[in-house]
Amino acid sequence: MNMGVLLRLALLLLLVAFLANPQAFEPLFAPFAANGAAAIYTQSSLLSLTVSHLSMVAAATIAATVVSVGLAILVTRPSGREFLPLSRSVANIGQTFPPVAVLALAVPVFGFGPIPTLIALFLYGLLPIFENALTGLASIPPSVQEAARGVGMTDTQRLLRVELPLALPIILTGIRLTAVISLSTATIGSTVAAKTLGEVIIAGLISNNTAFVLQGGLLVALLALFIHEGFGLLEGALTRRTRSVQPA
Amino acid sequence: MTGAGPAETMSAQADDTRVKRRSGLDRLGAILAAIAAAGLAFQPFSLFRANRIVAAKPVGILSALPPLEAWLLVAVVVAACAVLLLRTPPALRLVVSALTLAVLAVAVGRSGMFLTPSSNTYARVAPGGAFWIVAFAFSIALADASVRLKMSPLARLALLAFTGGALWMLLWSGAWDSLSILREYTNRADVFWREARVHLLLAIGSLAGAAVVGIPLGILCFRVQPIRATLLNSLNILQTIPSMALFGLLIAPLAWVAAHVPGASAVGIAGIGIAPAFVALFAYSLLPMVSNTVAGLESVPPQVRDAARGMGMTARQRFFEVDMPLAFPVILTGIRIVLVQNLGLAVLAGLIGGGGFGTFVFQGISQTATDLVLLGALPTVALAFAAAIVLDALVEIANPTPNRSAAA
Amino acid sequence: MIEIREITKAYDGLRAVDEVSMTIKSGEIVAVVGTSGSGKTTLLRMINRLVEPTSGAILIDGRDNRDLPGHELRRAIGYAIQGYGLFPHRTVAENIATVPKLLGWDRKRIDARVDELLALFHLEPAQFRARMPHELSGGQQQRIGVARALAAEPAVLLMDEPFGALDPIIRGKAQDDLIDIQRRFATTIVLVTHGIEEAIRLGDRIAVMDKGKLLQFATPAEIIAHPATDFVAELVGSDERAFRMLSLTPVSDLMEPGEAPGAPIDASASLKDALSEALWSGRRALPVLRDGAIVGRVTRDSLISRAGRPQ
């Protein structure tokens, strides 16, 4: 456990150091660079690519969270309950759409640049959050629902004080899933000229420079790892409090 | 003894929704009808381009088809909207939605023929917003009707087979030949089928490999606790590496293997092409296979295992007659996840010269040729969609207790 | 006082509760007993309007229960259920404080009330306030459930199989606690149960329901002695009724002056316990103990004659 914490801390420091001064790591990547080509990507600064990559993922994930949690609340209310079976199967079907295909299909409509990537990330992010929010809101024990009604809570009070807090850990799992998938999918956005770390990987693929592929890939993987871990800690803290509700 | 409470609560809620359903209009139907009507009225039915690259010229429904056919189509859509709008039986809604989609499909082909000047091989006609919006609305209506009908797995498979057959008929009859995406197809029919085979080989082959390796690994993880955390964690980390990077990173080691291991290049291992894509997909498939095998074995109720022991079954008998049959639906769910995921990820192989439908997608993106992108993306989506329906049906058939699938 | 007037609830034309009328007096415990599907839970839930009736009316202290919005009505009525329904994301103290908080009590008053209730239910406040529900045993969860229902000092407490999930020994203890608390606050309690044993033990009066109809509403003695229908007779159990009758009366009622050999029996024990002890130990009479002193005796013959059908 302690070892794990130390390792994570070391990785985080390494990540920060690399972003702050990539050239210092040049000797590490040099062996992978083909025929004396540059070992560190310098076309754009890695830091700015990382920031733009992360902000794109954050924007898409936040938008997806707001929309899908809202939808999930809507279809679990009595007045929206007739849409529940349909929205379940639509969410299920929607998840079969490959993210690459969503991106590819968004290009003809929205053109090149960050917009199609944002749209694709947003659309693809809706489904895991929606599904988890549904599971969370629908899996609240009937006796708890009954008690909340029985003590005289209004519909709004029940939603805000009982249902949402109880569903929160499961919703967070969905957001984590979405954020991690988006982080990886966003790299593909660079094929349609979005500014992401995918730019580094693609440059490597085109010029046969494994050093570029490696640094781009490792950066994204590390970011994904930390996002995954961060959400995991948050969920853990919440689930420990409410053990009776099982995460999906 | 749980008392009568919950059952009575549920019947009270069911009662409420039923009361609502009896009165007034169908709410979803109203929304869908509005979407379809607005799409048809305000969006172009077809897009006309003088050649493959230039900007498209929108063509409204009344100019996209001969007048009689155009009005006929409008009439069909309006009538179908009326059916959706009112509280009609789900079976009727299913048939009407399916028929409307069929009419729409034929109409878009007719529009292609009508708009393309004869003997002009450069002009392109593609379906416009109205087509996609109306198709979307009625697909949702179709899905809604089939959910309301609570179709059995076999019925869903039959519906899928029927839809596939109808699509095949449309393609084979040449009704769509004048559409731009099929023009792209005609130009590269041989390549298309070769890439289709590669795509399927990549997706299904890596799945098969992952199943052969992953299921025994899952069983091992279930039996030997210490291995479980380590293995699942490392597979988890593997999944966080972006797919594009993993594809790229495999190029160098595989090139090295091809150059240094005798016979490796003879069996097709090489730094670029299909090999790194295959290995990457295999690696991504392992986690869902292993974790679902573990989850499946964990889902076997301890009492059942205890009873099997109590009746004198040997360890081997318990494994093959109790554990595996009960874990199977969850393992099958893992296969469903992997297959759908692989069919999509295989597109990325196109980026590293690995073939598959991704070849068209990325070529299309670099040439800004929408139709070429669609030629790669649409079959991918269709394959993933069909795979999901087929495997969902299989999971349901394999599941002896329907409620367990929700837990899986 | 709760007046139930020809209340009916129909689901798709099927009557779950069928023209039930009854009047529950202030401060009494009424046990509603019946098989599952008899409509007893639906009847209970119509009192606090978790279920809205199809026809009829319910008056609480003379006011129609539809005068207030449903949620405000429910804040004034305690409600405890079988699964307890504790909020898993809130501490024990927060759970108990739910209704006072909804009613906008100030913090001091809420804290005092929470501690008072915890102590009342034999749970050390300092130790239990901050616990989460999943850290409690079943019996403790049940007590918190009832404490939460009583938090805002309601005049009426509705209970739906509140002891259903407890094992027999803990259940007996919880039933005793409930009787103590009821005596203390003079709360009117309507309790739904499927066990006639529990109904006889707790109910000042018992309402027997079957297929939505109220078959009989009377004291336990009356129900045992003169069951209104075959169904009620069967529910009471013909082979057990002599002992059920005895279980309703304390030894003090049948005590006479005199002496008897052997271990004494407490004056507050039931006649059933006394007869059982007399038969088991082969004695014609038992000494009776009250506040540590022998105050008289109870004879086997008087016990046996008390077990017969009252004339």
Side-chain angles (χ1 to χ4, degrees):
Chain A
M1 184 64 209
N2 234 338
M3 269 292 287
V5 173
L6 277 179
L7 189 71
R8 270 159 218 163
L9 220 59
L11 279 177
L12 188 62
L13 279 175
L14 207 66
L15 179 70
V16 173
F18 181 62
L19 285 178
N21 186 7
Q23 286 304 332
F25 291 77
E26 203 265 336
L28 269 177
F29 288 102
F32 299 99
N35 324 316
I40 300 290
Y41 187 74
T42 48
Q43 215 86 342
S44 325
S45 110
L46 286 175
L47 184 61
S48 74
L49 284 180
T50 306
V51 169
S52 131
H53 191 125
L54 282 178
S55 40
M56 227 183 254
V57 170
T61 307
I62 290 169
T65 303
V66 170
V67 171
S68 45
V69 172
L71 275 178
I73 289 173
L74 230 57
V75 298
T76 47
R77 298 308 95 189
S79 58
R81 201 165 279 140
E82 64 177 299
F83 297 114
L84 182 61
L86 174 70
S87 49
R88 272 230 163 97
S89 58
V90 168
N92 192 28
I93 291 167
Q95 243 159 347
T96 65
F97 274 67
V100 196
V102 175
L103 188 68
L105 293 175
V107 172
V109 187
F110 302 102
F112 283 76
I115 301 294
T117 310
L118 276 170
I119 301 271
L121 293 183
F122 166 73
L123 287 179
Y124 204 71
L126 285 175
L127 301 158
I129 306 177
F130 179 70
E131 216 165 23
N132 278 42
L134 266 190
T135 312
L137 289 171
S139 68
I140 290 166
S143 68
V144 172
Q145 293 267 35
E146 169 87 358
R149 247 159 67 84
V151 297
M153 290 189 181
T154 61
D155 292 348
T156 321
Q157 286 170 334
R158 265 179 16 235
L159 176 67
L160 295 180
R161 301 191 185 185
V162 177
E163 298 182 43
L164 280 181
L166 278 177
L168 192 61
I170 305 182
I171 296 177
L172 274 178
T173 310
I175 299 178
R176 162 166 75 164
L177 206 65
T178 288
V180 171
I181 294 175
S182 298
L183 210 63
S184 175
T185 309
T187 55
I188 305 168
S190 287
T191 58
V192 296
K195 277 204 111 35
T196 76
L197 288 165
E199 196 181 305
V200 185
I201 301 173
I202 291 171
L205 288 176
I206 291 171
S207 62
N208 248 330
N209 188 339
T210 310
F212 286 180
V213 178
L214 199 63
Q215 59 200 258
L218 281 179
L219 270 177
V220 177
L222 273 180
L223 292 173
L225 197 72
F226 286 120
I227 289 180
H228 185 89
E229 294 273 314
F231 272 103
L233 286 177
L234 209 61
E235 282 161 43
L238 283 170
T239 344
R240 255 193 300 288
R241 276 171 63 83
T242 64
R243 203 170 302 157
S244 69
V245 179
Q246 296 294 323
Chain B
M1 183 66 209
T2 34
E8 283 171 12
T9 322
M10 296 225 319
S11 70
Q13 282 162 358
D15 189 59
D16 289 349
T17 44
R18 230 170 289 137
V19 170
K20 258 178 223 130
R21 197 162 287 176
R22 247 182 257 125
S23 61
L25 301 174
D26 184 286
R27 287 198 287 160
L28 178 71
I31 297 170
L32 292 179
I35 291 176
L40 204 58
F42 301 117
Q43 283 284 311
F45 187 74
S46 304
L47 300 172
F48 179 83
R49 269 174 290 187
N51 65 53
R52 187 168 167 241
I53 309 294
V54 296
K57 193 179 86 191
V59 186
I61 171 111
L62 294 179
S63 349
L65 283 167
L68 183 66
E69 288 173 42
W71 284 110
L72 210 59
L73 177 64
V74 172
V76 166
V77 173
V78 168
C81 283
V83 171
L84 293 190
L85 203 61
L86 300 170
R87 303 245 178 232
T88 39
L92 176 67
R93 301 168 81 87
L94 184 87
V95 172
V96 167
S97 307
L99 282 178
T100 312
L101 285 171
V103 168
L104 204 60
V106 173
V108 78
R110 297 280 308 163
S111 166
M113 277 182 239
F114 177 68
L115 290 178
T116 312
S118 51
S119 77
N120 179 341
T121 49
Y122 297 109
R124 299 294 177 116
V125 178
F131 171 82
W132 295 115
I133 290 170
V134 175
F136 166 79
F138 283 94
S139 305
I140 296 284
L142 189 73
D144 177 53
S146 63
V147 170
R148 285 192 202 178
L149 278 174
K150 298 200 172 62
M151 293 176 78
S152 72
L154 284 178
R156 293 204 303 264
L157 287 179
L159 188 64
L160 176 69
F162 180 77
T163 312
L167 264 178
W168 192 260
M169 281 282 291
L170 272 173
L171 290 167
W172 177 78
S173 67
W176 278 353
D177 280 359
S178 54
L179 291 182
S180 54
I181 177 167
L182 278 172
R183 293 267 170 121
E184 286 296 345
Y185 164 75
T186 323
N187 288 345
R188 50 196 97 210
D190 298 343
V191 189
F192 180 85
W193 290 109
R194 195 182 70 218
E195 300 301 2
R197 274 195 300 278
V198 170
H199 200 94
L200 286 174
L201 175 74
L202 277 172
I204 297 175
S206 59
L207 162 69
V212 169
V213 177
I215 294 175
L217 267 182
I219 295 168
L220 189 73
C221 279
F222 177 69
R223 298 253 164 120
V224 191
Q225 287 283 346
I227 299 180
R228 189 189 302 190
T230 321
L231 190 72
L232 286 181
N233 275 339
S234 8
L235 288 177
N236 249 324
I237 291 172
L238 193 68
Q239 290 253 321
T240 65
I241 302 174
S243 34
M244 216 163 63
L246 189 60
F247 280 60
L249 290 177
L250 286 164
I251 293 176
L254 284 172
W256 186 87
V257 170
H260 293 84
V261 177
S265 53
V267 295
I269 292 178
I272 53 160
I274 195 167
F278 190 94
V279 176
L281 289 178
F282 168 82
Y284 281 126
S285 312
L286 268 182
L287 176 71
M289 283 317 309
V290 175
S291 62
N292 271 59
T293 306
V294 174
L297 288 169
E298 269 177 348
S299 76
V300 178
Q303 308 93 294
V304 171
R305 222 173 249 138
D306 204 43
R309 266 167 71 99
M311 284 182 293
M313 289 174 121
T314 64
R316 171 187 288 270
Q317 284 167 334
R318 287 199 309 269
F319 183 73
F320 284 107
E321 289 173 36
V322 178
D323 284 353
M324 279 324 261
L326 285 176
F328 182 66
V330 186
I331 298 179
L332 203 58
T333 309
I335 292 180
R336 181 242 196 240
I337 295 169
V338 168
L339 183 57
V340 171
Q341 171 189 296
N342 278 4
L343 282 166
L345 280 179
V347 170
L348 288 180
L351 209 56
I352 55 163
F357 289 130
T359 316
F360 303 130
V361 172
F362 291 110
Q363 259 179 37
I365 287 175
S366 65
Q367 299 173 8
T368 56
T370 307
D371 300 323
L372 195 51
V373 172
L374 286 176
L375 185 64
L378 287 183
T380 310
V381 171
L383 274 177
F385 184 61
I389 291 185
V390 170
L391 277 154
D392 278 342
L394 289 181
V395 168
E396 207 175 313
I397 291 169
N399 213 330
T401 51
N403 287 335
R404 250 182 40 165
S405 63
Chain C
M1 193 168 70
I2 305 172
E3 286 168 79
I4 299 175
R5 291 185 183 166
E6 291 178 353
I7 203 92
T8 296
K9 178 67 191 183
Y11 293 111
D12 286 336
L14 274 173
R15 293 182 164 202
V17 172
D18 194 357
E19 293 195 5
V20 169
S21 295
M22 60 199 280
T23 301
I24 296 160
K25 290 179 276 190
S26 288
E28 75 171 334
I29 302 185
V30 167
V32 184
V33 64
T35 51
S36 54
S38 62
K40 58 187 192 301
T41 295
T42 308
L43 177 67
L44 185 83
R45 289 159 57 88
M46 281 192 284
I47 298 177
N48 67 357
R49 283 177 56 206
L50 283 172
V51 172
E52 299 286 355
T54 310
S55 67
I58 294 179
L59 276 67
I60 299 173
D61 291 331
R63 284 185 70 190
D64 192 308
N65 70 348
R66 282 165 295 192
D67 286 356
L68 286 175
H71 61 270
E72 280 179 35
L73 172 78
R74 289 190 279 272
R75 288 172 193 176
I77 299 179
Y79 186 55
I81 53 177
Q82 181 176 19
Y84 319 132
L86 298 183
F87 301 133
H89 59 305
R90 294 188 173 180
T91 64
V92 163
E94 287 167 344
N95 262 290
I96 296 177
T98 306
V99 182
K101 223 178 235 167
L102 289 173
L103 292 173
W105 288 16
D106 65 65
R107 259 204 79 130
K108 259 202 192 130
R109 188 172 165 207
I110 293 179
D111 290 348
R113 180 67 179 160
V114 167
D115 287 1
E116 181 191 350
L117 281 164
L118 281 172
L120 201 63
F121 282 92
H122 318 295
L123 298 165
E124 173 54 44
Q127 197 186 338
F128 281 93
R129 246 183 255 129
R131 294 235 183 131
M132 300 305 289
H134 68 83
E135 296 168 324
L136 303 175
S137 72
Q140 291 166 342
Q141 288 185 19
Q142 194 269 340
R143 280 181 268 166
I144 302 300
V146 179
R148 181 175 68 182
L150 291 172
E153 297 163 2
V156 176
L157 171 62
L158 307 179
M159 305 181 95
D160 189 358
E161 302 264 6
F163 311 114
L166 300 178
D167 63 57
I169 293 176
I170 296 179
R171 182 186 308 173
K173 184 85 190 56
Q175 288 169 341
D176 289 345
D177 282 354
L178 182 69
I179 292 172
D180 284 351
I181 285 163
Q182 197 266 342
R183 300 287 174 252
R184 183 172 168 147
F185 297 121
T187 314
T188 310
I189 298 181
V190 185
L191 178 139
V192 159
T193 176
H194 66 273
I196 187 73
E197 202 91 42
E198 186 164 272
I200 289 172
R201 176 162 183 182
L202 294 173
D204 295 319
R205 286 195 290 166
I206 297 176
V208 182
M209 287 190 69
D210 186 43
K211 300 190 184 109
K213 296 248 187 221
L214 178 65
L215 300 182
Q216 191 168 11
F217 183 36
T219 62
E222 179 71 12
I223 295 244
I224 296 167
H226 307 291
T229 70
D230 290 348
F231 178 84
V232 180
E234 199 187 328
L235 192 73
V236 173
S238 51
D239 50 346
E240 289 267 354
R241 61 187 165 199
F243 302 101
R244 294 238 154 97
M245 195 59 131
L246 285 176
S247 73
L248 292 172
T249 318
V251 168
S252 53
D253 273 26
L254 214 57
M255 191 176 68
E256 55 182 54
E259 293 185 348
I265 187 154
D266 199 274
S268 66
S270 76
L271 296 181
K272 181 183 169 192
D273 296 341
L275 180 62
S276 170
E277 177 56 30
L279 293 172
W280 184 251
S281 60
R283 286 183 283 170
R284 297 190 145 273
L286 308 175
V288 177
L289 187 78
R290 180 184 287 150
D291 300 328
I294 305 288
V295 290
R297 67 172 186 178
V298 60
T299 66
R300 194 165 73 195
D301 288 344
S302 67
L303 285 167
I304 290 172
S305 66
R306 215 21 167 4
R309 178 200 296 267
Q311 295 308 313

